[in-house]
Amino acid sequence: MAEENSVDTLWLGADLVTMRDGNYNLIPDGAIAVRDEQIVWIGPRGEMPAFKARKRTEFAGGIITPGLVDCHTHLVFGGDRSQEFEQRLNGVSYAEIAAQGGGILSTVRATRAASQAELVASARWRLQRLLAEGVTTVEIKSGYGLDEESELRMLRAIRQLAESVAADVRATCLAAHGFPPEFKENPQGWVDLICERLLPRVQQQGLADAVDAFCEHLAFSPQQVEQVFRAAQALGLPIKLHAEQLSPLGGAALAARLGALSADHLEYAQESDVQAMAAHGTVAVLLPGAFYLLRETQRPPVELFRRYGVPMALASDANPGTSPALSLRLMLNMGCTLFGMTPQEALAGVTLWGAKALGLEKTHGSLEAGKVANFVHWPLARPAELVYWLGGELPCEVIYRGEAQ
């Protein structure tokens, strides 16, 4: 019995926003006991067993939430596109920028030219901005190499980055992000290379936790996406999809039928897409940063997701072209003000449903016994304040795997 009541750390003196089942499920004046990097007990302080703790932390009020989950980012890349951002605001069209060698291909050139060490260093700076705001789990995609060796280098950079930060980092292979200039006249050749050569190497070297693709009229067709996804599944790799961002192609429904963890963007998702996602347990990942920067007007069908019970995650989509976002907390506000989500839905989107979009909902995303001890203390009165405040780093204490950072 004495051994059962021995824990590494106790965390007391704050209200617990558990996010169990995607709701606040608030525990006033709660307590969390941690042993071996896991939560072993959580509940009201008055009901806490007589634990013997190596370390005890007493907060003076405030709230504790699960560690935040940013389930869709492109943090690893070379260069930046601030010059193009300025050009667009000065009236230069996308077509003109592309004709000058800009757009995604400018990032491809910069990424190909960067060493693995350079990619890790620049990504670490961006990632640290997210971690400072309570992110403890993050997904990072490849997709700016667009040749075999550069894609592998990006994925190795993600794995290396994971070793040097206090966060759980998931790597996603997004080689089907765009068509390389070398395959301009033979786009299907790039699809075949991904399926026949790149993905087997990725799987063999353990470089990715999932495979993604960009299904759009200016990118990969539903047929090409299905080819990539079936190749990924044959290798035992989970799938997820950029879908319905700019046009309705039925990509979300396709992804759902194939068992995708998530379909992301979804501004143009139709009711048939939402029905398929509901039937197959596919999470809707909403990305208000890109919606905002591109000044889109077509909002994702939040009411349909509610009606059919499709979980809604939120993510930064941090990338150099359409969402240079370094604050997941800002995405909480945007999800509410731009997409009509409630504060509770938004917070669930960066905790439990963000974890589910990565296949991690059994271990991450809520404060429950048996889950990884990733959580954040905020000197705030209510969880809605996380959504309410615009800008500025809110003071917080991040606990990663049971240890204060």
Side-chain angles (χ1 to χ4, degrees):
M1 186 68 178
E3 188 175 324
E4 286 182 8
N5 279 6
S6 177
V7 297
D8 297 324
T9 54
L10 276 178
W11 306 85
L12 309 157
D15 296 339
L16 308 182
V17 186
T18 68
M19 301 314 298
R20 183 170 46 83
D21 303 321
N23 301 310
Y24 289 152
N25 278 313
L26 195 72
I27 300 176
D29 190 19
I32 302 175
V34 175
R35 184 193 305 125
D36 296 331
E37 302 185 352
Q38 283 193 331
I39 297 171
V40 294
W41 189 89
I42 180 170
R45 181 180 187 141
E47 299 176 12
M48 182 180 68
F51 287 116
K52 181 179 180 181
R54 175 176 54 81
K55 183 180 179 183
R56 181 185 179 105
T57 298
E58 183 90 34
F59 294 110
I63 62 174
I64 293 176
T65 69
L68 305 187
V69 180
D70 196 346
C71 66
H72 181 131
T73 85
H74 306 252
L75 285 168
V76 171
F77 57 85
D80 71 78
R81 305 245 286 279
S82 57
Q83 181 181 357
E84 293 175 22
F85 174 69
E86 187 170 21
Q87 284 180 292
R88 289 201 306 273
L89 293 176
N90 280 309
V92 182
S93 71
Y94 281 101
E96 290 172 300
I97 291 171
Q100 296 166 9
I104 187 174
L105 291 183
S106 68
T107 300
V108 170
R109 286 193 300 273
T111 302
R112 288 180 177 182
S115 67
Q116 182 172 320
E118 290 168 333
L119 291 173
V120 171
S122 63
R124 184 184 292 112
W125 180 87
R126 293 184 280 268
L127 178 55
Q128 291 293 354
R129 311 284 78 75
L130 294 171
L131 302 189
E133 290 198 331
V135 171
T136 56
T137 303
V138 62
E139 182 256 22
I140 306 176
K141 305 177 191 295
S142 69
Y144 289 118
L146 299 189
D147 66 39
E148 198 170 353
E149 295 308 320
S150 298
E151 286 292 309
L152 291 170
R153 184 164 66 253
M154 286 189 74
L155 292 167
R156 291 189 189 105
I158 297 168
R159 289 297 197 218
Q160 184 180 341
L161 181 64
E163 297 170 359
S164 63
V165 294
D168 297 320
V169 179
R170 306 292 279 184
T172 297
C173 179
L174 180 57
H177 192 196
F179 293 103
E182 297 86 353
F183 285 85
K184 185 178 181 180
E185 304 302 324
N186 178 27
Q188 183 59 37
W190 176 237
V191 177
D192 294 340
L193 189 150
I194 291 171
C195 297
E196 296 165 13
R197 288 176 42 182
L198 180 57
L199 290 183
R201 292 182 69 186
V202 167
Q203 190 271 343
Q204 185 180 28
Q205 297 176 37
L207 292 177
D209 303 297
V211 172
D212 197 348
F214 184 22
C215 185
E216 196 53 71
H217 64 272
L218 48 67
F220 292 77
S221 70
Q223 294 75 22
Q224 290 169 327
V225 167
E226 182 167 359
Q227 182 183 342
V228 171
F229 281 180
R230 292 201 180 280
Q233 290 178 317
L235 294 165
L237 291 166
I239 55 173
K240 54 206 359 269
L241 185 65
H242 288 61
E244 272 63 59
Q245 181 184 8
L246 306 172
S247 59
L249 291 182
L254 168 67
R257 287 195 299 271
L258 292 175
L261 292 171
S262 71
D264 305 27
H265 284 291
L266 299 172
E267 282 85 339
Y268 285 84
Q270 307 296 296
E271 188 165 3
S272 56
D273 294 303
V274 179
Q275 289 173 323
M277 293 172 69
H280 296 280
T282 297
V283 177
V285 178
L286 308 185
L287 305 172
F291 177 91
Y292 167 79
L293 201 78
L294 294 175
R295 293 184 278 191
E296 296 287 348
T297 56
Q298 176 81 21
R299 304 197 319 175
V302 166
E303 188 51 50
L304 281 178
F305 295 136
R306 287 182 184 137
R307 188 188 313 164
Y308 285 98
V310 174
M312 292 180 285
L314 274 173
S316 69
D317 190 21
N319 76 75
T322 61
S323 186
L326 299 178
S327 170
L328 186 59
R329 196 169 56 78
L330 181 58
M331 299 303 108
L332 290 173
N333 183 278
M334 285 185 173
C336 294
T337 57
L338 299 180
F339 292 167
M341 300 175 75
T342 67
Q344 181 173 262
E345 286 174 333
L347 188 56
V350 298
T351 53
L352 185 60
W353 305 139
K356 184 175 173 62
L358 299 177
L360 296 176
E361 73 275 16
K362 292 182 179 178
T363 55
H364 293 66
S366 60
L367 301 179
E368 298 182 66
K371 289 200 169 185
V372 173
N374 291 349
F375 47 91
V376 188
H377 176 262
W378 311 85
L380 305 172
R382 304 177 63 244
E385 282 194 76
L386 286 169
V387 182
Y388 167 75
W389 292 109
L390 281 176
E393 245 178 48
L394 290 182
C396 64
E397 181 166 357
V398 177
I399 293 85
Y400 173 68
R401 295 193 170 258
E403 296 293 335
Q405 301 305 303

